[in-house]
Amino acid sequence: PPTPRPHACLTGGPVPRRLFASYPQTKTYFPHFDLHPGSAHLRTHGAKVVAALGDAVKSIDNISGALAKLSELHAYVLRVDPVNFKLLSHCLLVTVASHFPADFTADAHTAWDKFLSIVSCILTEKYR
Amino acid sequence: MVHFTAEEKAAVVNLWARVNVELVGGEVLGRLLVVYPWTQRFFDNFGNLSSESAIMGNPKVKAHGKKVLTSFGNAVKHMDDLRDIFAELSELHCDKMHVDPENFRLLGNVILIVLATHFSKEFTPQVQAAWQKLTTAVANALAHKYH
């Protein structure tokens, strides 16, 4: 299972900052946002994403159930191209790795990578 | 051809100067084989790859990891000439080793994650972005001669 207590390092914006810096094309999904670091938009949205991941962790044996509504939202409303889930997942991993260098062993890395790719799969599974 | 700004080059070179290529190379290749076990398909003759500790401690993995990262160091020295620098290696990976270029992208991302564990707060979004650009460019250069 993923290492505990990552939420502190995930809120506050390092993840979107990394995403937008490395993959500027991802900003196209947020034309209505103030994307300056620390903006209220980013903080609120970041908190939502982290909370959803937390839900998935709590229901790790039934992520499909936990994220069913979010899956529909992504399929019918947000329609974020599936490639972007890999980019976001990667930035999440980099953030966690930089905050917990000793804990983020190869096994932990594997578990997280697997977990995030399952989450990504579930969020895109209703696309067609 | 990819253009790197002076800041991007500085971010890359500055970090690279402090990388222990032997240590990090082994970690990078080891992590690739652990996190993406299907990549083990290229290393049937490496001996025991049955667990994380077996892989991370495997001397062949460490040696090969060092070789791969040393080659990457060449990219750091020639960031404006990546296609030329990797032309031969590209042909080799295609014709002799039959490696799907997707693996170059996977490896590039693992390099970044290992750098993040080593450099922590210093591995800022800007530094990461410069390195993302480099690893993407290297992956593309290595795929360039595929046919």
Side-chain angles (χ1 to χ4, degrees):
Chain A
T3 32
R5 56 178 167 75
H7 349 280
C9 79
L10 293 181
T11 55
V15 177
R17 274 209 300 280
R18 291 183 184 278
L19 185 68
F20 299 142
S22 282
Y23 310 108
Q25 69 273 20
T26 55
K27 292 189 284 188
T28 57
Y29 289 96
F30 302 99
H32 52 304
F33 266 29
D34 168 8
L35 293 181
H36 293 104
S39 81
H41 279 149
L42 284 185
R43 273 185 284 116
T44 311
H45 193 69
K48 274 194 210 162
V49 173
V50 170
L53 283 176
D55 289 343
V57 170
K58 272 192 235 119
S59 304
I60 203 162
D61 293 318
N62 182 18
I63 299 176
S64 243
L67 299 184
K69 289 235 167 61
L70 261 184
S71 181
E72 281 171 16
L73 187 74
H74 282 80
Y76 307 127
V77 181
L78 302 175
R79 293 167 292 183
V80 174
D81 190 288
V83 73
N84 295 289
F85 292 92
K86 285 194 185 186
L87 305 181
L88 179 63
S89 297
H90 174 63
C91 290
L92 268 157
L93 292 179
V94 170
T95 302
V96 173
S98 68
H99 278 263
F100 298 101
D103 293 324
F104 203 66
T105 60
D107 271 351
H109 179 172
T110 306
W112 270 81
D113 191 289
K114 186 173 172 179
F115 168 70
L116 290 173
S117 73
I118 288 170
V119 168
S120 303
C121 221
I122 286 167
L123 290 177
T124 56
E125 74 185 354
K126 299 182 181 176
Y127 272 35
R128 53 181 167 177
Chain B
M1 236 218 349
V2 186
H3 170 72
F4 292 90
T5 65
E7 291 77 21
E8 285 166 341
K9 285 184 182 174
V12 168
V13 168
N14 181 292
L15 213 76
W16 185 256
R18 289 170 288 142
V19 168
N20 177 332
V21 173
E22 180 164 1
L23 180 73
V24 173
E27 274 183 50
V28 166
L29 186 63
R31 275 196 191 236
L32 183 76
L33 299 175
V34 170
V35 179
Y36 309 107
W38 53 94
T39 59
Q40 292 170 24
R41 68 193 297 288
F42 300 108
F43 304 104
D44 278 339
N45 61 334
F46 268 28
N48 187 3
L49 298 179
S50 60
S51 67
E52 180 203 18
S53 48
I55 292 172
M56 301 309 283
N58 184 309
K60 284 192 173 172
V61 171
K62 291 185 188 187
H64 195 68
K66 177 182 176 185
K67 191 171 173 188
V68 169
L69 209 68
T70 302
S71 176
F72 204 86
N74 213 16
V76 172
K77 282 200 216 98
H78 297 100
M79 286 167 73
D80 292 325
D81 286 319
L82 296 174
R83 269 200 191 164
D84 292 334
I85 295 295
F86 287 107
E88 235 182 273
L89 266 179
S90 179
E91 281 172 12
L92 195 75
H93 279 79
C94 173
D95 299 329
K96 294 275 164 5
M97 300 190 270
H98 312 290
V99 175
D100 177 349
E102 180 59 23
N103 291 287
F104 309 142
R105 282 155 205 120
L106 288 179
L107 187 78
N109 281 346
V110 173
I111 289 174
L112 261 88
I113 286 172
V114 173
L115 290 179
T117 64
H118 280 268
F119 292 99
S120 215
K121 299 284 189 298
E122 224 192 304
F123 201 64
T124 62
Q126 286 66 38
V127 171
Q128 178 192 347
W131 275 90
Q132 278 316 149
K133 200 165 160 181
L134 178 62
T135 52
T136 300
V138 170
N140 290 339
L142 279 170
H144 187 64
K145 293 286 192 184
Y146 272 58
H147 58 98

